[in-house]
Amino acid sequence: MGATRTPRGKWIEEGLRALVAGGPEAVRIEALAQALGVTKGGFYGYFRNRDALLTEMLDTWEYEVAESVIEQVESGGGDARAKLERLFAIASAATDGPVRGVTADLAIRDWARRDAAVAERLRRVDNRRMDYLRSLFSAFCPDEDEVEVRCLLAVSVRIGHHFNAADNGKRSRAEVMELIRQRLLA
């Protein structure tokens, strides 16, 4: 009986974990193999080289944080507010995962500061997210300026609240996040 092959997705997830931990320079084939507890030979059954892995990491991230999330939201049906509720729930549940987690998003944003191709990919993902939010908010908010403000706030809170170390007065961070959610849906 032959050895079980490490699935392609595991290499991609481990690559994203390495990216989060140390940036693109930390995505090294030997280190990934060691983290997976396998030999690096299995890597070459899936990927031509490290650059191919980096591209597939970005492909996976892009699909999972944009198209897959939108598909998941849309599959539940309902009106725009129900879809936004579902979207916010999905986003809030995906805080630590190797693909959909905020840390992966932040690592890719950092990488994009130094790599034009990654910056273009990030721009495409952010535009897709904003376009989807616009379609939902505009269903119940007729003011185009208000729609844009709500979209930018929603995306900014998702990304930026992890950088804010301030106390929230008498409220917990979770309570403030709930207030933001309520205001966005009003």
Side-chain angles (χ1 to χ4, degrees), residues 2-169:
T4 304
R5 193 168 178 193
T6 303
R8 171 187 225 101
K10 293 291 184 190
W11 286 100
I12 293 168
E13 285 181 12
E14 199 57 45
L16 286 164
R17 281 188 191 91
L19 177 70
V20 166
E25 301 78 21
V27 181
R28 310 302 301 164
I29 298 165
E30 191 169 319
L32 298 179
Q34 185 176 16
L36 291 167
V38 298
T39 65
K40 65 181 184 176
F43 172 89
Y44 294 102
Y46 295 119
F47 308 101
R48 186 174 65 261
N49 54 31
R50 179 178 174 272
D51 287 340
L53 171 64
L54 293 172
T55 298
E56 287 204 39
M57 286 167 46
L58 288 168
D59 290 345
T60 299
W61 172 79
E62 180 175 3
Y63 174 76
E64 287 297 325
V65 302
E67 298 312 316
S68 178
V69 170
I70 292 168
E71 289 167 8
Q72 192 176 349
V73 169
E74 289 294 319
S75 73
D79 66 8
R81 280 190 174 92
K83 290 176 182 179
L84 281 164
E85 288 276 8
R86 202 163 26 261
L87 175 62
F88 295 159
I90 291 166
S92 117
T95 56
D96 293 332
V99 180
R100 283 192 185 177
V102 173
T103 55
D105 205 82
L106 296 175
I108 289 169
R109 286 175 189 289
D110 184 53
W111 185 11
R113 294 175 345 152
R114 296 179 302 283
D115 186 309
V118 177
E120 183 54 38
R121 178 83 66 122
L122 176 61
R123 187 174 301 107
R124 185 169 62 221
V125 168
D126 282 351
N127 283 333
R128 179 66 173 119
R129 288 168 163 169
M130 290 290 285
D131 288 344
Y132 185 62
L133 284 168
R134 283 183 194 103
S135 75
L136 296 176
F137 282 121
S138 66
F140 61 88
C141 185
D143 182 332
E144 286 182 26
D145 291 339
E146 182 70 16
V147 167
E148 201 61 26
V149 166
R150 289 178 190 222
C151 293
L152 187 57
L153 281 172
V155 170
S156 297
V157 166
R158 163 76 172 146
I159 296 163
H161 91 275
H162 300 281
F163 291 113
N164 187 346
D167 294 325
N168 294 291

Side-chain angles (χ1 to χ4, degrees), residues 162-179:
H162 300 281
F163 291 113
N164 187 346
D167 294 325
N168 294 291
K170 296 177 184 176
R171 292 187 162 75
S172 70
R173 177 63 57 100
E175 290 170 323
V176 173
M177 294 300 288
E178 175 59 20
L179 288 171

